[in-house]
Amino acid sequence: MLTPFREILEERRAAGAAVGAFTCYDVTTAIAVVRAAEARGDPVLLLASEGSFRSSWGRLLLPALVAVADEARVPALVQLDHVDDVELIDAALAAGAGAVMADGSKLPTSDNAAFVAGVRARAPEAGVEAELGHIEGGEDVAAAAEAGALTDPDEAARFVAETGCDCLAVSIGNVHGKYARPPELDWDRLRAVDDRVDVPLSLHGASGIPDVDVRRAISLGVCKVNVNTELRERYLAQLEAGLPGARDGLRLLELGAGLVDGVAQAVTAKLSVLAG
Ligand code: 13P
């Protein structure tokens, strides 16, 4: 059931848990994500990457993800992830996205704040997530990355007050894609940001972060955890395993069912870590 972003985050915060936000490049993945969330009774977010929304078929994918989220028997919504283009933001919201990740993190902080405040003003009802500091790595390419510019706690307090964002993505040593070396998250920084900022925090680049660290991040104010790379890995492994059997008899339905099961298992494992 489509549910406002703020409501989902506040419920998770009150439960001492985090909502899982999973990148879906197709409807098969979205069905797997929702099925896993329904089995646990957990809320869930379906992420559409900017790259897929920009593609020729992306304008069709996002409404399809919205339909899957709407049918879900748990609170759900679709968020356009990491977008710095207001026309794309308007198009995604018009297509039914309930939230956007207004990513001005490559800009100087004052420009980032002005961009996010502008998105807030354009879309008062939508969920608006912002990023301060910069999380390195590609959202659509799972290459190894090093930590980027870290979030400054004092700046974060001013930034949230100025922008009116609903959720703040922190850069504390986390990266998108694969970790070039085992992640060492800056716990003191996360604690300081959480002390100074009253909106829920989000942790991007959760693929490859040990479960114990994800749980620790949740205990320090993280209420939303983004996962992409681990799902793609599982999807491709499942596809490889299912292909030989599917070729014989062109069993596409069976191949699809195997993909849903495999991806759902990966989502279930992650959701169990986020339960608090
Ligand atoms: P990973 O690909 O590292 O899981 O990151 C996902 C993400 O943060 C999407 O915004």
Side-chain angles (χ1 to χ4, degrees):
M1 72 202 81
L2 293 176
T3 306
F5 189 63
R6 277 163 247 174
E7 202 176 309
I8 292 177
L9 290 182
E10 285 309 335
E11 182 279 330
R12 288 286 87 181
R13 173 140 81 170
V19 64
F22 299 94
T23 312
C24 300
Y25 291 96
D26 63 10
V27 172
T28 302
T29 305
I31 291 169
V33 169
V34 164
R35 204 167 271 182
E38 285 179 338
R40 293 183 45 85
D42 289 343
V44 77
L45 306 185
L46 307 182
L47 300 178
S49 78
E50 185 191 13
S52 66
F53 191 56
R54 267 190 199 283
S55 71
S56 52
W57 44 268
R59 299 296 168 112
L60 297 173
L61 175 64
L62 194 136
L65 299 184
V66 172
V68 176
D70 194 18
E71 285 289 312
R73 294 193 303 273
V74 289
L77 67 72
V78 174
Q79 179 181 32
L80 181 62
D81 204 13
H82 293 286
V83 57
D84 60 4
D85 176 337
V86 286
E87 278 177 28
L88 273 193
I89 289 174
D90 288 348
L93 296 175
V100 294
M101 204 291 187
D103 184 357
S105 67
K106 291 186 186 131
L107 303 170
T109 301
S110 56
D111 294 351
N112 184 1
F115 168 64
V116 176
V119 173
R120 168 83 293 155
R122 286 172 98 84
E125 301 303 323
V128 176
E129 178 179 355
E131 176 174 327
L132 185 66
H134 179 66
I135 304 162
E136 287 296 341
E139 287 91 43
D140 285 323
V141 185
E146 300 272 4
L150 304 180
T151 307
D152 179 274
D154 291 323
E155 208 170 60
R158 288 194 297 275
F159 183 84
V160 169
E162 267 174 55
T163 59
C165 64
D166 302 306
C167 177
L168 185 70
V170 289
S171 177
I172 53 166
N174 47 321
V175 302
H176 292 113
K178 293 183 182 295
Y179 285 86
R181 63 197 79 252
E184 276 187 35
L185 301 185
D186 185 339
W187 301 113
D188 289 341
R189 186 175 298 275
L190 179 58
R191 197 174 288 110
V193 174
D194 188 43
D195 281 349
R196 290 173 180 64
V197 164
D198 55 10
V199 296
L201 306 178
S202 64
L203 182 68
H204 285 236
S207 298
I209 297 181
D211 293 349
V212 61
D213 286 351
V214 174
R215 287 201 185 92
R216 188 166 177 196
I218 293 169
S219 77
L220 294 172
V222 164
C223 302
K224 171 177 183 274
V225 172
N226 281 30
V227 183
N228 181 351
T229 300
E230 282 181 12
L231 244 54
R232 276 190 277 168
E233 284 172 341
R234 176 57 76 95
Y235 187 109
L236 290 174
Q238 194 68 40
L239 190 59
E240 269 177 6
L243 263 181
R247 277 212 184 91
D248 175 23
L250 302 177
R251 298 175 209 278
L252 269 191
L253 274 180
E254 281 174 29
L255 183 68
L259 279 174
V260 168
D261 286 349
V263 174
Q265 278 171 23
V267 173
T268 301
K270 195 59 81 179
L271 289 177
S272 71
V273 175
L274 308 188

